[in-house]
Amino acid sequence: MDDLVVGSSQTTIVVSLVGAMLVSVVISLFYWLQSNKTSPATPPPQPDTKTTTTNKKVIAPTKTVKKGTKKGANPSSGISNHPLYINTLKGHTDSIVDIDKDLSGKLLATLSNDRTVRIWHIKDMAKNKDVKYSRVPLEDVGSSVALSPDNKAIAVLLPDAHAVNIYKLGKKPGEPASLVLSIDDIKGDLKDVAISPTGRFIIVSTITTIVYVYTIKGDLLHTIDTAQGSNGQVSISPCKDYIGVSGFTPEVHIWAVKHSSKGEYQQVVEAMDLSGHRSGVYSFDFSNDAGRVVTVSRDSTWRLYNIDVTWELKEDPKLLTTGSYKGGKDSPAVVALSPDGRVVAIATETSVNFYNADSGEHMDCIDNIHSDEITKMSFSDTGSYLYTCGTDKSVRVWLNRPGLQRQVEHWKESLRTATNASHKDRLKEQIRETEDFIDSTYSQQ
């Protein structure tokens, strides 16, 4: 990497071409899936929203409820005709309680109360409506699942057994998994498990205030007392080895797991607090570079922070955007941040709303997409798709249309500063093709 030198204009061209390739693939696959669908043409919706600048609150759009539509109802028996619908991963026989994706975009793990984990091979998901999977039977009901960074193993938290089981996955879809390690006799009522993307450590949280940090071989490294009253979500960032914890208090605490240059464990230190909410934080999510974190709270607001700071020198995280959403203390919310940090998705009950992460503007909404409450949600590795799941036993996959709109904004900004004629022509073509595609999805609603 040190001997790779590229000029700024060339870098812009390369980044734009990579983005263009991803968008082209998404559009091509989406058209292939939609080829057998027919829907009446309608004009693109115009959300009645108020936009904001940095640190200004946004009033959430009023949600229109059709007469006769109840919570949990599916007003369209043919949900596959929705213009943003991609696929449904079916097979579980009870509620799905957790999902985890790998950063390479090859696998998605789903954990259900039916005492199984399914490992879905999603790399070519959009090309195949029947997605291949492997089934991992469990001896007890699990509460949390995590994929290893090399996609060769999963960790499953079994609360009643006070244990975390590590299973080695088969090399091909359908091949059986084998139990290779059990971290047992863990004290407390257990809640979540996560594996560091570096593969260096595992964390296990309790419903009280304790988070245990283990080596990948099950040796205890450190015990964190979060002082949260009770732990809510506990997650590890996609890079930088941050541990984030939300809970009863109105902030998210972030710890850093420090290693030497040789990869040897050194210590766990508290890095920063994400404060500003007036009530407990339901959910939070990191961007792929761990530079941004979004939070959603019982106070009916969401907040986006820049955590790319020198916390070792006591530099505080910076609030970038704040907005409101429909929901609050009576309607728990789940939040997801697109990998590039440009789009915020918030699920309440059976619907998902999308927001511009930089302005706070409401961008899109998909209503009644599950027959019961959405419990988990995650963007795909590229941000092209959004995975949603809940108590109706299925995972649904949706096109991230707001992500395409944000990509167009990026290309238009690049066009204003581009100097190379062929680069300009390519940007114009990308903008036109993607805007036409976005318009076509609106015309099907």
Side-chain angles (χ1 to χ4, degrees):
M1 292 295 291
D2 293 336
D3 47 301
L4 179 62
V5 180
V6 184
S8 59
S9 62
Q10 291 174 292
T11 302
T12 303
I13 294 173
V14 170
V15 171
S16 297
L17 287 175
V18 171
M21 290 173 64
L22 288 174
V23 171
S24 298
V25 169
V26 171
I27 292 175
S28 299
L29 294 176
F30 185 82
Y31 273 135
W32 183 88
L33 283 170
Q34 300 288 329
S35 60
N36 295 322
K37 300 179 184 180
T38 56
S39 303
T42 56
Q46 300 296 326
D48 182 15
T49 62
K50 295 181 180 180
T51 59
T52 183
T53 55
T54 302
N55 300 340
K56 298 294 183 179
K57 290 188 176 181
V58 183
I59 306 300
T62 302
K63 185 177 177 180
T64 302
V65 180
K66 297 180 181 179
K67 292 183 178 180
T69 299
K70 301 177 181 180
K71 177 186 174 181
N74 188 351
S76 172
S77 59
I79 196 168
S80 61
N81 288 325
H82 192 287
L84 302 188
Y85 173 83
I86 298 293
N87 210 333
T88 297
L89 308 181
K90 297 183 292 185
H92 283 297
T93 59
D94 208 330
S95 301
I96 297 173
V97 297
D98 198 17
I99 61 175
D100 190 35
K101 69 175 188 297
D102 78 300
L103 296 179
S104 68
K106 295 178 180 179
L107 301 179
L108 179 74
T110 58
L111 171 66
S112 170
N113 282 335
D114 64 9
R115 297 191 178 191
T116 68
V117 174
R118 291 197 176 208
I119 308 298
W120 305 89
H121 294 254
I122 56 174
K123 182 178 180 181
D124 299 321
M125 174 190 57
K127 295 180 182 178
N128 304 282
K129 292 188 177 181
D130 294 326
V131 180
K132 294 179 180 179
Y133 66 89
S134 300
R135 182 176 177 273
V136 183
L138 307 174
E139 60 268 31
D140 208 341
V141 174
S143 66
S144 181
V145 65
L147 278 161
S148 66
D150 60 5
N151 295 336
K152 294 181 179 180
I154 57 170
V156 181
L157 185 66
L158 304 174
D160 291 344
H162 294 273
V164 171
N165 283 354
I166 310 296
Y167 298 87
K168 182 180 179 181
L169 301 176
K171 293 182 179 180
K172 298 179 181 179
E175 290 186 353
S178 57
L179 179 63
V180 295
L181 176 67
S182 184
I183 307 173
D184 51 16
D185 295 328
I186 305 174
K187 296 179 180 179
D189 295 321
L190 307 185
K191 190 175 187 300
D192 285 320
V193 66
I195 302 176
S196 163
T198 61
R200 290 172 173 169
F201 62 92
I202 299 173
I203 61 169
V204 179
S205 69
T206 70
I207 63 175
T208 55
T209 64
I210 300 301
V211 177
Y212 300 105
V213 183
Y214 292 92
T215 68
I216 205 71
K217 295 181 178 180
D219 300 319
L220 182 63
L221 291 172
H222 189 81
T223 300
I224 300 171
D225 188 341
T226 65
Q228 288 277 64
S230 61
N231 290 331
Q233 179 184 340
V234 180
S235 298
I236 302 176
S237 61
C239 63
K240 298 184 181 179
D241 283 346
Y242 288 142
I243 299 173
V245 183
S246 67
F248 181 78
T249 58
E251 58 269 329
V252 172
H253 297 299
I254 296 179
W255 282 263
V257 182
K258 305 295 288 183
H259 292 82
S260 69
S261 58
K262 295 181 179 180
E264 299 170 341
Y265 168 78
Q266 293 179 321
Q267 61 179 333
V268 177
V269 294
E270 188 163 4
M272 65 192 88
D273 291 336
L274 307 182
S275 58
H277 284 296
R278 299 186 304 276
S279 190
V281 175
Y282 282 131
S283 176
F284 64 93
D285 198 18
F286 292 92
S287 61
N288 259 14
D289 64 358
R292 289 183 167 194
V293 174
V294 65
T295 60
V296 64
S297 167
R298 287 171 57 90
D299 64 12
S300 299
T301 68
W302 61 270
R303 299 167 75 88
L304 181 72
Y305 300 85
N306 173 14
I307 65 167
D308 187 18
V309 296
T310 311
W311 56 267
E312 296 91 342
L313 299 179
K314 307 299 182 182
E315 183 181 1
D316 292 327
K318 298 175 177 60
L319 178 64
L320 298 177
T321 319
T322 182
S324 62
Y325 72 96
K326 188 173 179 63
K329 63 180 181 178
D330 298 324
S331 185
V334 180
V335 71
L337 183 62
S338 63
D340 59 10
R342 294 176 181 173
V343 176
V344 173
I346 299 177
T348 53
E349 297 183 348
T350 62
S351 300
V352 178
N353 284 277
F354 297 85
Y355 300 87
N356 183 316
D358 294 301
S359 71
E361 177 186 4
H362 181 263
M363 297 186 70
D364 217 332
C365 179
I366 42 179
D367 281 320
N368 299 306
I369 60 176
H370 285 270
S371 60
D372 213 332
E373 184 178 2
I374 298 169
T375 56
K376 296 288 181 176
M377 182 170 62
S378 177
F379 282 98
S380 65
D381 63 306
T382 62
S384 301
Y385 308 119
L386 180 72
Y387 306 117
T388 61
C389 70
T391 55
D392 64 0
K393 311 171 189 176
S394 66
V395 175
R396 293 212 164 105
V397 187
W398 307 90
L399 177 72
N400 177 18
R401 180 166 58 190
L404 292 177
Q405 293 168 322
R406 294 304 315 273
Q407 182 63 56
V408 168
E409 292 176 12
H410 173 71
W411 282 334
K412 287 183 176 179
E413 182 65 29
S414 297
L415 182 61
R416 283 192 285 269
T417 58
T419 57
N420 183 283
S422 60
H423 182 211
K424 284 184 176 182
D425 290 341
R426 181 56 182 159
L427 285 171
K428 290 177 182 178
E429 182 182 358
Q430 292 165 357
I431 292 169
R432 178 185 57 78
E433 289 178 351
T434 307
E435 286 184 331
D436 287 347
F437 170 70
I438 292 170
D439 289 343
S440 74
T441 65
Y442 276 117
S443 69
Q444 297 176 55
Q445 282 186 221

